[in-house]
């Protein structure tokens, strides 16, 4: 399977808006799935992470995160927050696709553009799942994107359907014969 690119970030963001966009008139103040965050806060978090990853790839720091933050206006409705996600996803796509494969930036070690793309896709898929669950919208992360994320960020993942494995790896679901995870981390850094 090839490395993830900005196109994959765009696919994940497009999936998020397609799934959640029809439900922006609902109450996004409810908890997002099993999270303590509301659906609104979770969507704003996705935008924040996409922008932070774009900043890392563009700024190429080698020792920590750049000292900036995204603040989404508390007055923004769910549809507006999704537009912020789209904008930040576009910035990550542009940064990843403009960077050479040898570019490195810090994410708990040196991380390549494909790693930042994988993290952006993972954040988008996982939190779309959280928000969909919170809103009672049936949805499952796409197989191909889930498989690419699992392969890139969780190299020791067990076999199984990628969407279910991704949920299990991040403490969001069950896998037969395995205890539910209560802590986890992914590995985006490369040598």
């Amino acid at each position: 399977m090839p490395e993830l690119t900005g196109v994959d970030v765009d696919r994940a963001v497009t999936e998020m808006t397609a799934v959640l966009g029809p439900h922006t008139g609902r109450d996004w103040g409810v908890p997002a799935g099993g999270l303590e965050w509301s659906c609104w806060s979770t969507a704003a978090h996705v935008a924040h992470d996409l922008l932070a990853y774009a900043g890392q790839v563009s700024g190429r720091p080698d020792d920590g995160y750049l000292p900036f933050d995204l603040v989404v206006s508390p007055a923004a409705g769910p549809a507006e927050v999704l537009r912020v996600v789209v904008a930040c996803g576009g910035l990550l796509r542009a940064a990843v696709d403009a960077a050479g494969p040898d570019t490195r930036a810090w994410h708990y070690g040196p991380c390549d553009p494909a790693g930042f793309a994988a993290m952006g896709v993972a954040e988008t898929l996982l939190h779309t799942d959280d928000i969909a669950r919170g809103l009672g919208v049936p949805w499952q992360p796409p197989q191909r994107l889930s498989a690419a994320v699992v392969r890139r960020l969780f190299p020791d993942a067990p076999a199984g359907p990628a969407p279910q494995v991704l949920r299990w790896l991040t403490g969001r679901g069950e896998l037969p014969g395995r205890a539910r995870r209560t802590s986890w981390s992914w590995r985006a850094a490369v040598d």
Side-chain angles (χ1 to χ4, degrees), residues 15-185:
E15 181 74 16
M16 181 180 194
T17 58
V19 169
L20 301 176
H23 305 283
T24 57
R26 297 179 58 189
D27 177 10
W28 282 44
V30 300
L35 302 180
E36 293 180 11
W37 296 337
S38 70
C39 292
W40 188 98
S41 295
T42 303
H45 167 80
V46 172
H48 168 272
D49 282 357
L50 295 173
L51 180 64
Y53 296 157
Q56 290 302 100
V57 173
S58 296
R60 300 179 187 168
D62 59 6
D63 61 351
Y65 268 93
L66 295 173
F68 74 96
D69 201 1
L70 171 69
V71 177
V72 178
S73 170
E80 293 170 304
V81 177
L82 287 178
R83 283 195 290 273
V84 175
V85 170
V86 170
C88 293
L91 293 170
L92 179 55
R93 177 185 181 160
V96 164
D97 288 348
D102 295 332
T103 297
R104 297 292 182 267
W106 188 86
H107 182 81
Y108 302 98
C111 185
D112 61 349
F116 282 101
M119 290 186 294
V121 170
E123 289 284 348
T124 304
L125 295 182
L126 290 166
H127 290 312
T128 298
D129 190 38
D130 295 329
I131 296 166
R133 287 174 186 239
L135 296 175
V137 175
W139 181 75
Q140 178 167 283
Q143 170 67 30
R144 191 190 77 70
L145 286 175
S146 297
V149 165
V150 167
R151 180 185 49 78
R152 177 60 171 83
L153 299 178
F154 300 97
D156 57 349
Q164 287 84 359
V165 170
L166 181 59
R167 284 177 171 151
W168 177 79
L169 287 165
T170 58
R172 288 170 169 83
E174 308 288 333
L175 272 184
R178 297 185 180 268
R180 187 177 189 117
R181 288 184 127 184
T182 57
S183 67
W184 58 274
S185 63

